[in-house]
Amino acid sequence: MGVKREESFHRPEKMEWPRLICDKRFGLEEYHDSKRGIRSDFLRDYDRLVFSSPFRRLQNKTQVFPLPGSIFVHNRLTHSLEVASVGRSLASEVGLRLSAKYAGEPWVEVFYALGEIVSAGCLAHDLGNPPFGHSGEKAIATFFSEGPGTVLRNELTAAQWADLTHFEGNANTFRLLTHRFNGRRPGGFAMTYSMLASIVKYPHESLLAEADHPKFGFFSSEKESFVKVASELGMLPQPGPDGEVRYARHPLVYLVEAADDICYEVMDIEDAHKLGLLATSEVIDRFFAFFSEERRQRMREVMKNVSDPNERISYLRSGVIGRLVEVASDAFVENEEKILTGTLEGSLIDHIPQRERDAYAGCNDLSWEKIYRSSDVVDIDLAGTSIIAFLMEKLIHAVRNPEMNYSRLLLSKVPQQYEIDHPTTYGKIQAVIDHVSGMTDVYALDLYRKLNGMSLKINN
């Protein structure tokens, strides 16, 4: 607490790039070596994620639409790869322009790493999301706020209860990457400080989450870890009214967020077109809205040589992403001072030119009207909510009553890395959430069926 009081008296006016870009590894600080090898530590972050089990499991987690049958649509893994690609382009463009701006500074080389850091952050940004898309997050939160989990309220602190009733995949990602699970090394994935900071979109604790914006960046169990990262990087503290932990965003969060915003909005529309939910003409009109009439005319000439509807949309999608990368990069550089002082409001998309901003809003309206409320998507939401609520109820009962026969059988199926024998109620609940959120859609459905006696194998 002494460090926090000292920062409140000597709070810097703005963040500084040389401090914000740090390749020190969380949990392995004593082994830090600033010498660059063939691969930078930020590239090692990226590679470490690619080869990890949580990343592989994303291939069987829903993005928006049901996992593919005859028509391939995005899952969490393909989405994350695309976000990483767009994020690298965004950050490389920003890094190029900032390195020119600060060409005379001895620390200018920090900008060379922006693409590496942001692409790794993009690759990791969905690792903590539970199965069944965003409905999975809501299912876990409402299990406690309005479901069977309400009975646990009096056994938890206010901060712990806020963690659960506002469950957030972003905070769960930070936990997944930093928590020392059973049998693992200190520091979790031992990611670099800058990469960890780049994924925390809402750098405050759950007590500051509000009903109209129930988002936060870290659970109370990881609060000290986040403060350690933020303090090392010189992020600006902005405490809540009662001293709650809150910081200004790390600047690279804006780039990770923009890459995600660009990909999910544009790619969801392309997927919906492939599935027949949106007409080709409708999508063309929406995508054309991003461009000047002169650019549209050139695009029409190119499209005369392409007859396949999906290829025509793919061509336009590529152009839209390129344009959004361009204007989002502009928005970052133009608002750099506000970003460094923690005073920029909203996302980068909120600060792009009017034409592109209106076109993006039009795509968002179309998505809500014809995609996110479509029958297939709602079916996934309903089924996912029921499955997750059922598994949460059974597993929490088991960790709280481990001596019962059914509990022993069920807990034998939980991987040893999860702390089901934690001495506190909160710790036991977190172990269950760690397990459930790590499940793929397929595994969660299979376990649900088995526990209900619906997929038992019996030989004749």
Side-chain angles (χ1 to χ4, degrees), residues 12-82:
E13 294 183 358
K14 64 187 254 183
M15 293 175 273
E16 300 175 348
W17 283 114
R19 191 171 174 187
L20 288 165
I21 307 304
C22 172
D23 61 4
K24 186 180 292 186
R25 292 199 172 279
F26 185 78
L28 300 178
E29 289 83 1
E30 70 249 53
Y31 302 109
H32 180 241
D33 182 358
S34 59
K35 296 179 181 178
R36 291 179 66 91
I38 297 175
R39 288 187 303 151
S40 72
D41 280 299
F42 303 125
L43 279 178
R44 292 176 189 274
D45 282 347
Y46 188 95
D47 295 345
R48 192 170 292 182
L49 291 164
V50 166
F51 286 91
S52 70
S53 295
F55 184 72
R56 288 196 299 273
R57 286 198 292 269
L58 293 179
Q59 68 184 310
N60 270 326
K61 286 192 176 185
T62 297
Q63 174 63 16
V64 173
F65 299 104
L67 295 176
S70 59
I71 299 176
F72 187 85
V73 293
H74 287 80
N75 53 42
R76 287 281 181 184
L77 186 141
T78 51
H79 167 71
S80 297
L81 288 170
E82 290 173 350

Side-chain angles (χ1 to χ4, degrees), residues 272-399:
H273 174 261
K274 287 182 179 179
L275 293 169
L277 294 176
L278 298 175
T280 302
S281 60
E282 189 173 24
V283 177
I284 289 175
D285 288 344
R286 293 289 182 174
F287 284 176
F288 267 173
F290 286 90
F291 307 104
S292 67
E293 183 53 42
E294 181 182 359
R295 178 74 186 279
R296 293 182 206 178
Q297 189 55 43
R298 292 200 301 270
M299 288 178 147
R300 291 188 186 99
E301 292 299 319
V302 172
M303 291 168 65
K304 287 180 180 178
N305 300 315
V306 181
S307 59
D308 184 284
N310 288 332
E311 285 301 309
R312 301 182 89 194
I313 298 305
S314 177
Y315 164 70
L316 291 178
R317 175 260 300 157
S318 175
V320 170
I321 290 178
R323 181 59 185 158
L324 286 172
V325 166
E326 182 180 349
V327 295
S329 300
D330 290 341
F332 187 97
V333 175
E334 290 166 3
N335 290 281
E336 182 203 4
E337 188 69 16
K338 289 184 178 180
I339 290 171
L340 292 176
T341 56
T343 57
L344 183 67
E345 296 184 0
S347 68
L348 289 185
I349 297 297
D350 296 324
H351 297 275
I352 62 178
Q354 191 66 48
R355 180 180 62 210
E356 288 80 0
R357 191 161 70 249
D358 289 345
Y360 185 92
C363 288
N364 189 57
D365 291 343
L366 179 66
S367 295
W368 279 104
E369 179 185 353
K370 295 191 175 181
I371 298 177
Y372 304 140
R373 296 173 185 170
S374 68
S375 178
D376 285 347
V377 174
V378 172
D379 286 347
I380 283 288
D381 289 350
L382 289 171
T385 298
S386 296
I387 292 168
I388 287 178
F390 175 84
L391 296 178
M392 290 283 295
E393 184 172 11
K394 293 296 184 182
L395 285 163
I396 287 177
H397 181 270
V399 297

Side-chain angles (χ1 to χ4, degrees), residues 99-108:
S99 62
K101 176 180 178 179
Y102 295 101
E105 299 292 345
W107 44 264
V108 68

